[in-house]
Amino acid sequence: MIIQDFSFGNFRSFKEIQTLSLTKAKLTSKKDKALEGTNTFAHLKESFLKSKVLYGANASGKSNLIKALSVFLKITTQSAKDEKVLEHINSFRLSGDTMEQPSFFQMIFEVGENKYRYGFQASDKAIHSEWLYERKGKKETCYFIREQQGLSYLNESFFKEGDIYMGLAQQKDGNKDFLFPTSLFLKMLASFPFAKTSKSIMEGFEQIKVLSGLGDPTMTAYARESLRVPQKKSFILEILKRADTSVEKLGFLELNNDTSENTEAPKKRSVLLSAKKLHGGVDEDKIPLSLFAFDEYESEGTQRLFEYAAYLYDAFYEGKILIIDQFDAQLHALLAKKLVALFNSTANKQGQFILATNNPLLLSDKLLRRDQISFVEKDKEDCSHLYSLAEIAGVKGDNHQSDYLLGKYGATPIVGDFNELFEN
């Protein structure tokens, strides 16, 4: 799965349709071109960015952009099973024009040797429209267009699986309103063995993972489970060692639970332990280790890196796409910079990373191309807008960090004088 563009609109703080592009821009500066070999990759005669970094003031809309991606993925992968998944949709509520209108979501992407444009409009109660196109060069072939609970167009020649489903689901008297109002047509199709195109697209969407830099139980559970796979465990340990965490080993201690009062409690529980070297008053030749409960002893930063490492393995070795909000919330600035350098290295063949951050150290023309840096800013009407550094005229790429902090690119907070709170 490769993402080219993601567009969305009328969602939370975003009123107008905005597009986040992972397509390589035609940049001619020497510094941008110098990073082309490491920071971009080619597929199907097109070139894409390995990473995209989002900047903006607090409450500017960075997290809402990540939420838009997350909601798009939740609806596409869960709508057929979870009728309440549409409740994640929140339209722009500061305008009477958009309050009752559906939100817009669309992604242009590649799965294998095929390129598609897929999207839908939905409110928190129903799917309003849905569409799927295949792209070959500049030509598009429409597969289907859905309006409310029926199809207004179906390409019987190029999208035969849709025609087969149509025949199976067609109701009496020519009634075409056979779709459930809360389920996507593409997701419904993917559950049938004959729907190979729909299934491959859904499998592609499932390769995209949205993470939080603040962590959550799902990330922790996945990282712990990854330790039971030898290759992943070795990779995670190497990441922790090279990040100067002092962790030498990781392992589980199996304990028996007291189930005398609760018969439903599991009989055993696993405690994750980290091992570190002892220093002073010991035989250095034996290199003794001391064991600690990982969740209780290790720092928030170490725990977050441990969780990231499991997903990094998937991105580098299994081709999954990572989208991380508040990417460096628990990480040292230098460590975050090293990770971004890894994302844009030759070790990464065609993995894609989308990161929301406030770390100015990443704004280096030696680390990122201008088309890899985007900003989110709110206007006077509290509408969020997305734009790339490559779109700003006159940027030479000498010192993005200081220019951004000086407000030359926008997307910085206008902070009042806090001392005035205490003057009176």
Side-chain angles (χ1 to χ4, degrees):
M1 177 80 169
I2 297 172
I3 298 175
Q4 175 179 312
D5 296 326
F6 174 69
S7 301
F8 65 102
N10 191 24
F11 180 79
R12 299 179 75 90
S13 62
F14 290 89
K15 181 181 179 181
E16 306 296 334
I17 294 177
Q18 309 288 310
T19 298
L20 179 71
S21 177
L22 274 77
T23 304
K24 187 193 78 172
K26 295 180 180 179
L27 303 179
T28 57
S29 74
K30 291 182 179 180
K31 293 186 177 181
D32 289 321
K33 291 183 73 66
L35 296 174
E36 189 171 311
T38 53
N39 294 34
T40 70
F41 66 93
H43 187 259
L44 297 182
K45 298 181 180 180
E46 295 186 85
S47 296
F48 301 94
L49 304 174
K50 292 183 180 179
S51 65
K52 191 80 168 184
V53 181
L54 306 173
Y55 282 90
N58 292 334
S60 63
K62 297 192 305 296
S63 292
N64 287 341
L65 192 159
I66 302 296
K67 284 186 175 71
L69 277 158
S70 178
V71 168
F72 171 81
L73 294 169
K74 283 180 179 178
I75 294 174
T76 53
T77 58
Q78 300 175 21
S79 65
K81 296 181 180 179
D82 185 3
E83 295 182 355
K84 296 183 179 180
V85 72
L86 295 182
E87 293 179 0
H88 293 287
I89 291 180
N90 289 293
S91 60
F92 183 77
R93 301 299 175 88
L94 298 179
S95 171
D97 298 333
T98 57
M99 193 178 299
E100 301 300 326
Q101 296 299 313
S103 298
F104 174 93
F105 304 92
Q106 178 177 270
M107 184 176 287
I108 300 174
F109 55 92
E110 296 181 0
V111 177
E113 299 300 311
N114 301 101
K115 183 176 181 178
Y116 302 100
R117 176 168 67 90
Y118 173 71
F120 57 88
Q121 288 182 293
S123 65
D124 59 352
K125 295 181 175 59
I127 305 294
H128 290 241
S129 61
E130 183 184 2
W131 55 92
L132 175 65
Y133 292 78
E134 183 184 13
R135 283 190 166 190
K136 291 184 178 180
K138 296 181 179 180
K139 183 181 178 181
E140 278 195 330
T141 300
C142 181
Y143 278 3
F144 73 83
I145 299 175
R146 175 237 187 106
E147 299 290 344
Q148 302 300 335
Q149 292 173 246
L151 296 181
S152 60
Y153 176 79
L154 176 64
N155 192 323
E156 299 176 0
S157 299
F158 290 92
F159 197 56
K160 293 183 179 180
E161 59 199 59
D163 187 41
I164 295 173
Y165 179 85
M166 185 82 168
L168 294 173
Q170 188 75 41
Q171 297 180 2
K172 293 181 180 179
D173 302 322
N175 183 7
K176 295 183 179 180
D177 292 340
F178 58 88
L179 299 177
F180 294 108
T182 57
S183 298
L184 293 171
F185 180 47
L186 191 70
K187 177 59 179 175
M188 293 170 61
L189 276 176
S191 62
F192 292 89
F194 57 79
K196 294 182 179 180
T197 297
S198 302
K199 187 176 181 180
S200 68
I201 291 174
M202 283 299 155
E203 288 175 347
F205 287 146
E206 290 170 357
Q207 295 296 306
I208 306 173
K209 302 299 177 184
V210 181
L211 311 178
S212 171
L214 300 177
D216 62 57
T218 303
M219 290 173 59
T220 304
Y222 183 75
R224 288 168 62 98
E225 191 63 29
S226 296
L227 290 177
R228 303 186 185 280
V229 180
Q231 298 92 330
K232 287 189 177 184
K233 181 178 181 179
S234 176
F235 180 85
I236 292 171
L237 268 175
E238 283 301 315
I239 290 287
L240 292 177
K241 288 179 181 179
R242 293 168 191 269
D244 195 28
T245 64
S246 301
V247 174
E248 293 290 327
K249 291 184 179 181
L250 290 169
F252 292 103
L253 177 64
E254 305 294 339
L255 298 176
N256 292 322
N257 269 339
D258 182 6
T259 58
S260 57
E261 297 181 1
N262 185 2
T263 56
E264 296 182 357
K267 295 181 179 181
K268 291 187 177 183
R269 62 187 178 94
S270 298
V271 177
L272 178 60
L273 300 178
S274 58
K276 297 187 175 185
K277 291 181 181 179
L278 285 174
H279 300 281
V282 296
D283 188 347
E284 296 291 339
D285 294 333
K286 295 182 180 180
I287 315 179
L289 300 175
S290 183
L291 302 179
F292 303 91
F294 188 85
D295 296 344
E296 297 178 9
Y297 184 84
E298 300 299 340
S299 69
E300 291 286 341
T302 299
Q303 293 186 43
R304 199 66 57 246
L305 185 60
F306 163 67
E307 293 165 355
Y308 281 170
Y311 290 95
L312 288 178
Y313 181 93
D314 295 345
F316 279 85
Y317 294 103
E318 298 177 8
K320 293 184 179 179
I321 298 170
L322 295 188
I323 302 167
I324 310 178
D325 191 17
Q326 302 185 67
F327 162 64
D328 55 347
Q330 306 287 354
L331 302 180
H332 190 279
L334 293 176
L335 176 56
K337 190 174 181 180
K338 284 285 188 180
L339 288 176
V340 173
L342 177 63
F343 302 158
N344 293 291
S345 68
T346 54
N348 177 14
K349 302 306 180 184
Q350 60 176 42
Q352 290 180 300
F353 299 84
I354 300 173
L355 315 169
T357 181
N358 287 315
N359 183 356
L361 287 184
L362 305 182
L363 286 169
S364 168
D365 54 16
K366 296 180 180 179
L367 182 67
L368 296 170
R369 289 163 48 94
R370 283 180 294 151
D371 52 0
Q372 292 182 279
I373 301 169
S374 287
F375 303 102
V376 181
E377 185 174 50
K378 276 188 177 179
D379 61 21
K380 294 180 180 179
E381 297 181 354
D382 278 339
C383 301
S384 296
H385 299 273
L386 173 68
Y387 56 97
S388 168
L389 181 59
E391 299 174 45
I392 302 176
V395 176
K396 296 180 179 180
D398 293 324
N399 198 332
H400 301 326
Q401 179 182 334
S402 61
D403 285 349
Y404 172 64
L405 295 177
L406 288 171
K408 292 184 178 181
Y409 305 147
T412 52
I414 302 174
V415 183
D417 186 356
F418 291 153
N419 289 330
E420 293 179 356
L421 292 170
F422 306 98
E423 288 181 357
N424 298 317

